[in-house]
Amino acid sequence: MIWYPYEQMKTMNPPYRITDAQGVYLYTEDQKLIDSISSWWSMIHGYRHPALTRAIVSQAEKFSHVMLGGLTHEPARKLAEKLKNWLPGDLDYSFFSDSGSVAVEVALKMALQYYMNRGEKRRTKILALEYAYHGDTFKTMEVGDDEDYHFVLNAYGPSRSVIHIPTDIKALETAFAAHHEELNCLIAEPLLQGAGGMRMYDISFLKRARELCDHYGVLLIFDEVATGFGRTGNRFVADLVLPDILVLGKALTGGYIGHAVTVASKKVFEGFYDDNPQHALMHGPTFMGNALACAVALKSIELFECQDYMAKIRRIEKITRRELEGFSDPRIREIRIMGGCVCLEVKEAGILKGYQQFAYERGVFARPFLNYLYAMVPYVIREQELVRVLDTMKAWFLR
Ligand SMILES: Cc1ncc(COP(=O)(O)O)c(C=O)c1O
């Protein structure tokens, strides 16, 4: 029996059974649904894209996987090379892993060990943001701030290594002033905090964070697992403010296979590169650099570049703003739009009860959580399809 995520198995509604998928559509036996959340924000090119399928099949005909311990191969080498050339600054060193959570764990381990390797043993603390979400493994839960998901951690009492602050420059400055000697990193989902409620904040916060990290010698980590590949309307937020470590996942493979990467700058890499074996990064997920994942990631990036995906995302944002212009309802607290993300935050979670089935009946797959009704559509969506998604959201309040 399948044990489903984030659900009370005893009381959950049965999940919709998908029999096929193509483009922006999921098919059940009796319905054709626009996937308004791109399979947890990853399926940016839509389902069953022929070029992506071909990339996987042709790699599978050679080999699907070989480990990176003592072995290497062209798809991993090419993807690391592509990321080196494509990502901003000197984010040149790619450590692959099998999921976003693991890639964040790797980033946190890198930041801690970077200072341990230098003999700075006091730097054991992490600055993180309120409402952050970085995954469901133990350290990512700890840097996260998501009571609704991670309350089990309360069993351990308050965290001794993580300090949470709001996305407010004064709070940032105060935290640095108080803790800079103990901090090894600041970790943030830049501009858009996803699972914490699609919260959007200003770039000035990140610019100030960069200055303070430089001033106090603290590493800046951007978790762009959700925001990367255009979701905020920027290719990467790292194009605007350069982090020392960048984490990518989800859309890295166009959503086709789970894979992620922790990309380090030259400075971070050099903190590990010496004759002392104890200064090596002791991490190695079995499926890191999986050949199918690397092959499909390369093809996904090629599509993203050649078919001007940034223009597609600008179009999605423009249509979304146009369709929601002037729309309001007393039950809605706020409407937030950024790039390829829209969120209607309602005043009470109960207001969204029944929405999923309502949307299903109108040909849209949606998965609101808590007080958040949102869409993160595949970038290949056509105008009338996007309008349908937005009309469905509005219709819920106009009933
Ligand atoms: C910002 C962020 N970081 C990390 C993760 C975890 O990624 P994964 O589910 O691949 O472990 C997520 C997943 O939603 C995320 O949104």
Side-chain angles (χ1 to χ4, degrees), residues 41 99-102 104 133-136 189 194-195 223-226 250:
W41 330 338
S99 73
S101 303
V102 173
V104 173
Y133 177 89
H134 295 288
D136 292 337
E189 293 159 272
D223 174 356
E224 293 220 50
V225 169
K250 292 190 186 281

Side-chain angles (χ1 to χ4, degrees), residues 246-320:
L246 173 65
V247 187
L248 302 174
K250 292 190 186 281
L252 172 68
T253 62
Y256 275 60
I257 303 180
H259 220 64
V261 63
T262 309
V263 192
S265 67
K266 188 157 189 277
K267 169 175 127 173
V268 172
F269 180 76
E270 284 180 348
F272 290 77
Y273 190 77
D274 68 25
D275 295 322
N276 185 346
Q278 288 198 329
H279 286 187
L281 180 64
M282 297 308 282
H283 210 97
T286 302
F287 291 105
M288 70 181 292
N290 172 268
L292 302 180
C294 292
V296 75
L298 279 161
K299 186 52 76 178
S300 169
I301 293 171
E302 188 186 316
L303 292 176
F304 194 95
E305 277 184 302
C306 300
Q307 298 183 3
D308 197 358
Y309 268 57
M310 291 314 299
K312 293 187 202 299
I313 297 157
R314 279 193 294 277
R315 194 181 119 267
I316 288 170
E317 177 165 354
K318 200 166 146 209
I319 295 167
T320 306

Side-chain angles (χ1 to χ4, degrees), residues 13-159:
N13 292 325
Y16 304 121
R17 191 185 295 260
I18 300 306
T19 53
D20 201 354
Q22 174 138 42
V24 300
Y25 291 101
L26 297 168
Y27 294 84
T28 63
E29 246 143 48
D30 60 0
Q31 190 55 298
K32 177 181 172 187
L33 302 163
I34 300 171
D35 181 357
S36 71
I37 58 166
S38 309
S39 267
W40 267 333
W41 330 338
S42 65
M43 195 59 67
I44 57 174
H45 311 284
Y47 297 92
R48 218 201 300 164
H49 192 293
L52 296 175
T53 305
R54 249 194 330 273
I56 294 173
V57 170
S58 68
Q59 180 55 44
E61 282 166 353
K62 295 180 198 128
F63 57 90
S64 298
H65 180 66
V66 294
M67 67 182 196
L68 285 191
L71 302 173
T72 193
H73 56 80
E74 273 307 275
R77 191 197 60 76
K78 280 193 188 151
L79 181 56
E81 193 59 24
K82 179 73 211 176
L83 291 170
K84 177 174 188 290
N85 296 328
W86 203 50
L87 295 174
D90 61 355
L91 291 166
D92 291 349
Y93 301 88
S94 285
F95 190 98
F96 295 111
S97 51
D98 36 26
S99 73
S101 303
V102 173
V104 173
E105 296 278 353
V106 170
L108 296 169
K109 195 194 257 191
M110 264 181 196
L112 176 65
Q113 195 182 338
Y114 175 82
Y115 287 104
M116 297 305 112
N117 285 357
R118 291 156 58 108
E120 293 191 45
K121 303 234 180 313
R122 282 188 67 195
R123 289 196 185 261
T124 54
K125 295 218 162 118
I126 299 166
L127 198 55
L129 303 183
E130 287 177 2
Y131 297 106
Y133 177 89
H134 295 288
D136 292 337
T137 54
F138 267 80
K139 201 69 188 177
T140 64
M141 287 198 289
E142 201 182 328
V143 290
D145 176 37
D146 211 329
E147 267 290 297
D148 295 295
Y149 290 88
H150 299 151
F151 52 84
V152 70
L153 269 195
N154 293 340
Y156 290 132
S159 167

Side-chain angles (χ1 to χ4, degrees), residues 345-373:
E345 179 177 340
V346 298
K347 291 180 181 159
E348 283 166 46
I351 294 166
L352 300 176
K353 194 161 184 294
Y355 181 79
Q356 188 170 57
Q357 186 58 23
F358 176 85
Y360 182 89
E361 283 154 19
R362 283 153 188 79
V364 173
F365 174 66
R367 193 173 180 280
F369 59 98
L370 306 172
N371 295 24
Y372 312 105
L373 174 57

Side-chain angles (χ1 to χ4, degrees), residues 135 225 231 236:
V225 169
R231 191 54 76 182
F236 299 98

